Amino acid sequence: MDVDTRLLRYFAVVAEEGSLTRAAERLFVSQPALTKQIKQLEARLGVSLFARSRNGMALTEPGRSLAEHVPALLAGLDQALRAAKSTAAQAARVLRVGFLASAANEATPHIIAEFARLRPGWRADLRQASWANPTAGLADGDVDAALVRLPFPGQESFRVEELFSEPRLIALATAHPFAVREEIPFRDLWDEPFVAAPEETGRWRDFWLGIDEREGRPARVGAVTDHPDEWLSAIANGYGIALAPESAARFYARPGVTYRPVTGVSPTRVGIAWAPADDANPVVQDFVRCCLDTRPSPPVPPER
């Protein structure tokens, strides 16, 4: 019997949540669409997987049996696909490294140079991911390691070493009234529309909206983008403002966009991430070591 793995992934989330509403929110799909997928899976299997009631979705006996096996099945499939992609890359002596825009900043060339010295004949193939993919391809097995911004969705499933942190600034249209300020308290920006990452990025989107620093006040979203050029255009055109790493002022300087220091928000952190299965992969571990060895030194506090 041929069953789409997407249906099994949807089933697993509904089984965990016990609610179509909560599962739909977690999967970022509409509830009617999720209901249709579950019914399609039940039709394929010829069994009823859930008993539906006002209290939610309770697993039937067949549903409980399937729920016991699906996590291991999906994990095994993901591991097999990851292994196949990794084996092909190793045969070509290529280390696939995902990254988000300006993730490692000025440290990236030093990391690549050190890896080339440590692994002659190997090449680090840098692959930029959109902000809709905050694991930079790691979750899909498309890369062997990733330079990422922390936190990111599913971070607990990977090995992560923090490399450095930097302050967050606020990016806003040069014509914005606040652009003339030398420094802006984040509280003053709570009611402003923000340019946000796609909803499916979860915690990562929330971090760049400053959700934890809003004291429960919801963020207003004026535009959604997943690429630096679109992000800059949205800000310059006045659709919203955005929190940004301090390095963005160097890497993404653009007429019409002004960066200003903002108080009341935590810094952003950059890390190197890889799959636990690659703990024993000497090439991946060499790259991780290069990242750690070349990371910027923390600033020394002034003497008193």
Side-chain angles (χ1 to χ4, degrees), residues 96-277:
R96 303 164 302 158
V97 181
F99 73 99
L100 297 174
S102 78
N105 306 331
E106 291 89 349
T108 303
H110 302 292
I111 293 170
I112 301 306
E114 180 62 15
F115 179 72
R117 185 194 66 78
L118 196 61
R119 283 276 171 178
W122 279 76
R123 177 171 59 88
D125 181 17
L126 293 174
R127 304 181 179 186
Q128 183 172 358
S130 73
W131 291 332
N133 184 4
T135 70
L138 196 59
D140 300 321
D142 292 331
V143 298
D144 305 298
L147 294 161
V148 292
R149 291 276 172 181
L150 310 176
F152 62 84
Q155 183 174 324
E156 60 280 357
S157 300
F158 301 99
R159 305 285 195 240
V160 179
E161 287 282 355
E162 185 175 333
L163 301 180
F164 61 88
S165 65
E166 59 178 323
R168 282 187 283 179
L169 306 180
I170 194 71
L172 64 173
T174 303
H176 194 288
F178 287 171
V180 297
R181 295 194 190 182
E182 291 298 318
E183 188 176 78
I184 307 171
F186 187 55
R187 181 183 293 271
D188 291 356
L189 303 171
W190 285 355
D191 294 329
E192 293 287 323
F194 271 64
V195 179
E199 280 188 323
E200 60 266 26
T201 59
R203 283 194 302 157
W204 201 78
R205 168 187 166 107
D206 290 348
F207 178 81
W208 291 104
L209 288 173
I211 296 299
D212 289 344
E213 288 92 357
R214 290 178 175 271
E215 298 181 9
R217 182 171 305 194
R220 290 179 58 202
V221 176
V224 176
T225 64
D226 64 0
H227 190 275
D229 286 341
E230 297 172 354
W231 179 78
L232 288 167
S233 293
I235 295 170
N237 290 328
Y239 296 139
I241 63 177
L243 288 168
E246 185 180 54
S247 56
R250 302 189 300 273
F251 283 89
Y252 296 109
R254 172 172 171 166
V257 175
T258 296
Y259 296 89
R260 287 287 180 260
V262 59
T263 60
V265 293
S266 59
T268 173
R269 297 172 294 132
V270 171
I272 177 66
W274 69 98

Side-chain angles (χ1 to χ4, degrees), residues 42-67:
E42 290 177 323
R44 290 271 185 93
L45 298 177
V47 298
S48 179
L49 298 171
F50 294 97
R52 297 158 177 82
S53 71
R54 291 183 178 179
N55 296 325
M57 303 282 285
L59 287 166
T60 62
E61 285 296 329
R64 277 193 289 272
S65 178
L66 183 62

